[in-house]
Amino acid sequence: MTTAPISNIRNFSIVAHIDHGKSTLADRLIQMTGGLTDREMAGKEQVLDSMDIERERGITIKAQTVRLNYRAKDGKDYIFNLMDTPGHVDFAYEVSRSLAACEGSLLVVDASQGVEAQTLANVYQALDNNHEIVPVLNKVDLPAAEPEKIRQQIEDVIGIDASDAVMISAKTGLGVPDVLEAIVTRLPPPKGDRDATLKALLVDSWYDVYLGVVVLIRVVDGTMKKGSRIRMMGTNAAYDVERVGFFTPKMEQVDELGPGEIGFITAAIKEVADTRVGDTITDDRKPVTEMLPGFKPAIPVVFCGLFPVDANDFETLRAAMGKLRLNDASFSYEMETSAALGFGFRCGFLGLLHLEIIQERLSREFDLNLIATAPSVIYKMHLTDGQEIEIHNPVDMPDVVKIADIEEPWIEATILTPDEYLGSVLKLCQDRRGAQKELTYVGSRAMVKYDLPLNEVVFDFYDRLKSVSKGYASFDYHLTDYKVADLVKMQILVNNEPVDALSMLVHRTRAEGRGRAMVEKMKELIPPHMFQIPIQAAIGGKVIARETVRALRKDVTAKCYGGDITRKRKLLEKQKEGKKKMRQFGKVDIPQEAFIAALKVDS
């Protein structure tokens, strides 16, 4: 195994919008540098996307890293550490970790689609990390490709020189050798001092059944040796390093990692929670004084309750959550109970896609059947006695009399859309209580910036945006601040009993529409019982919408043929009395499908 001098190491990540070809380009680079043989690559697209769910959806969720050996045209041997990053807004936090460990980025832009919202977000993140950026135009072999136009677009929108952008087709391998040369000639080598005290950045960690916690590190100064004793500065825990190595994508063990190198260590660590992403690792005997800047911890934005359909699965769910938490540090959860749904967990996510992925992983990897309650965000409540509390769950909301005001989180959204859909996109944002900040043009596409309440976005904004723009609009957002809003708690009452799983905080102006949609949906979904069931949406004691599920009726007059009308009337009155009594004591069974569908209700 060759160890190259630090000047021959290149650490880089690939950043791009969803579907612009990051993982496919990573495949080609691995193939051309001989990281995997053609036989190992055969039949497997996107080698770095290891989860089934990543392959099916064609998206990258976890950032992956791989080390490649490359002999350049100048005859020298180089070591490339490549990080394939996710493009989705919900996994932007994975991107920020990868960027902190590299010195340069390949910016991949689809030559037929051009610059998208996520392209911008990820490039700005790379520029914040002082990266050298090499623009790469992918899919130039497509008939719709317009490389010259897109080059100009990169210069106009992002403001980086794209005159020497590398033209490639990652699928066919066209132009990929030029990318390898560009990495050598245009990206800077890492800096670091081999003789200094060990200082390494903890980039990622995940759980392996056989090895315990595997920690991905980027050595900044000093060397990470097998058998040495290390200390995590954030958690102040010390460990003995058992093995040191890197991925080619297969695990390869070595005796030590030098400055500028990216690799992994295992040290009999039991919990991933002990290895904080962004932490600094140093030598236990002579630690460094300064910690590395690291990066912001992931802050959950969307909360929702997850409950097992079958109450006996609760323990399985608890274990499954623990295991997922091992591999996904951005996912948080705590126990909660609900009268309608039993025991479950209140979970925090980075966004709706993250929520969907976690739900799917739970049902897939652990065979669990789950119900998710309506997603909500964190509200800040200022009480009349001067206290300030945070509410994740509308059920915990204090009495209205005690609340002075409620603040909700706002985001700044950047939307790029073809001109012909601009009208419907603007209307969608206006309907969601948005305030337009700016509107500019990027070639034939409009770029709109909007301030929007997060509450309106988590519901189904992304789906609606895709449908009004026929899938062409792209969207990226970041939290800005909290603003006071006129929010009310809306409850759904079934047979005069509140259903806690369906209560939500909504803006007063939107409450009636949302309430009406909910009760209409519930009416279709609750099967008829032997008595009439009123379904109401209420704010406090005021009912704002109502529907009634008709009772099942037995034909009690069937046996009266001919004869006096009073006999029939008497039987019908008796039935009416019975129904009234039933309604007082009757219990309404709300099927699980009703919950699931009602929570998906579209305003």
Side-chain angles (χ1 to χ4, degrees), residues 554-561 567-569 571-572:
K554 181 181 168 196
D555 189 359
V556 287
T557 59
K559 59 177 187 269
C560 300
Y561 37 88
R567 274 187 70 202
K568 286 188 179 174
R569 211 168 271 156
L571 285 166
L572 288 170

Short mmCIF file of all heavy atoms in Angstrom, two decimals, residues 554-561 567-569 571-572:
data_model
loop_
_atom_site.label_atom_id
_atom_site.label_comp_id
_atom_site.label_asym_id
_atom_site.label_seq_id
_atom_site.Cartn_x
_atom_site.Cartn_y
_atom_site.Cartn_z
N LYS A 554 -82.03 -0.50 10.68
CA LYS A 554 -82.65 -1.79 10.45
C LYS A 554 -84.10 -1.48 10.10
O LYS A 554 -84.71 -0.57 10.67
CB LYS A 554 -82.58 -2.61 11.74
CG LYS A 554 -83.18 -3.98 11.63
CD LYS A 554 -83.07 -4.69 12.97
CE LYS A 554 -83.93 -5.93 12.93
NZ LYS A 554 -84.18 -6.46 14.26
N ASP A 555 -84.66 -2.20 9.15
CA ASP A 555 -86.04 -1.91 8.76
C ASP A 555 -86.98 -2.56 9.77
O ASP A 555 -87.38 -3.71 9.63
CB ASP A 555 -86.28 -2.45 7.35
CG ASP A 555 -87.63 -1.98 6.83
OD1 ASP A 555 -88.33 -1.28 7.58
OD2 ASP A 555 -87.98 -2.33 5.69
N VAL A 556 -87.31 -1.78 10.84
CA VAL A 556 -88.14 -2.36 11.92
C VAL A 556 -89.60 -2.52 11.50
O VAL A 556 -90.36 -3.23 12.13
CB VAL A 556 -88.09 -1.50 13.20
CG1 VAL A 556 -86.77 -1.64 13.90
CG2 VAL A 556 -88.38 -0.04 12.91
N THR A 557 -89.99 -1.85 10.41
CA THR A 557 -91.40 -1.94 10.00
C THR A 557 -91.65 -3.04 8.99
O THR A 557 -92.75 -3.16 8.43
CB THR A 557 -91.86 -0.59 9.40
OG1 THR A 557 -91.01 -0.32 8.27
CG2 THR A 557 -91.73 0.53 10.39
N ALA A 558 -90.62 -3.86 8.74
CA ALA A 558 -90.76 -4.89 7.69
C ALA A 558 -91.91 -5.85 7.99
O ALA A 558 -92.59 -6.32 7.09
CB ALA A 558 -89.45 -5.66 7.57
N LYS A 559 -92.10 -6.15 9.30
CA LYS A 559 -93.13 -7.16 9.60
C LYS A 559 -94.57 -6.60 9.61
O LYS A 559 -95.51 -7.32 9.81
CB LYS A 559 -92.81 -7.85 10.93
CG LYS A 559 -92.72 -6.93 12.13
CD LYS A 559 -92.47 -7.77 13.37
CE LYS A 559 -92.54 -6.94 14.63
NZ LYS A 559 -91.26 -6.40 15.04
N CYS A 560 -94.70 -5.26 9.45
CA CYS A 560 -96.04 -4.66 9.43
C CYS A 560 -96.53 -4.58 8.00
O CYS A 560 -96.19 -3.63 7.30
CB CYS A 560 -96.00 -3.24 9.99
SG CYS A 560 -95.42 -3.18 11.66
N TYR A 561 -97.26 -5.56 7.55
CA TYR A 561 -97.84 -5.37 6.21
C TYR A 561 -99.31 -5.05 6.41
O TYR A 561 -100.02 -5.71 7.16
CB TYR A 561 -97.64 -6.61 5.33
CG TYR A 561 -97.77 -7.91 6.05
CD1 TYR A 561 -99.03 -8.52 6.18
CD2 TYR A 561 -96.66 -8.51 6.64
CE1 TYR A 561 -99.15 -9.70 6.87
CE2 TYR A 561 -96.80 -9.69 7.34
CZ TYR A 561 -98.04 -10.29 7.44
OH TYR A 561 -98.18 -11.46 8.14
N ARG A 567 -99.04 1.72 14.31
CA ARG A 567 -98.11 0.63 14.70
C ARG A 567 -96.72 0.91 14.17
O ARG A 567 -95.72 0.78 14.87
CB ARG A 567 -98.61 -0.71 14.14
CG ARG A 567 -99.62 -1.40 15.05
CD ARG A 567 -99.93 -2.78 14.52
NE ARG A 567 -98.80 -3.68 14.69
CZ ARG A 567 -98.63 -4.78 13.97
NH1 ARG A 567 -99.50 -5.09 13.05
NH2 ARG A 567 -97.60 -5.56 14.18
N LYS A 568 -96.68 1.32 12.89
CA LYS A 568 -95.38 1.62 12.27
C LYS A 568 -94.71 2.78 13.01
O LYS A 568 -93.54 2.74 13.33
CB LYS A 568 -95.56 2.02 10.81
CG LYS A 568 -95.88 0.85 9.90
CD LYS A 568 -95.86 1.29 8.45
CE LYS A 568 -96.16 0.08 7.56
NZ LYS A 568 -96.29 0.45 6.15
N ARG A 569 -95.53 3.81 13.30
CA ARG A 569 -94.99 4.99 13.94
C ARG A 569 -94.40 4.63 15.30
O ARG A 569 -93.33 5.11 15.67
CB ARG A 569 -96.09 6.03 14.10
CG ARG A 569 -95.54 7.44 14.03
CD ARG A 569 -96.60 8.46 13.88
NE ARG A 569 -96.93 8.74 12.47
CZ ARG A 569 -98.11 9.23 12.11
NH1 ARG A 569 -99.05 9.45 12.99
NH2 ARG A 569 -98.36 9.48 10.84
N LEU A 571 -93.20 1.77 16.29
CA LEU A 571 -91.92 1.05 16.13
C LEU A 571 -90.78 2.02 15.78
O LEU A 571 -89.67 1.90 16.30
CB LEU A 571 -92.06 -0.02 15.04
CG LEU A 571 -92.86 -1.26 15.45
CD1 LEU A 571 -93.23 -2.09 14.23
CD2 LEU A 571 -92.08 -2.12 16.42
N LEU A 572 -91.06 2.97 14.90
CA LEU A 572 -90.02 3.93 14.50
C LEU A 572 -89.60 4.80 15.68
O LEU A 572 -88.42 5.08 15.87
CB LEU A 572 -90.52 4.80 13.34
CG LEU A 572 -90.61 4.07 11.99
CD1 LEU A 572 -91.34 4.93 10.98
CD2 LEU A 572 -89.24 3.70 11.46
#
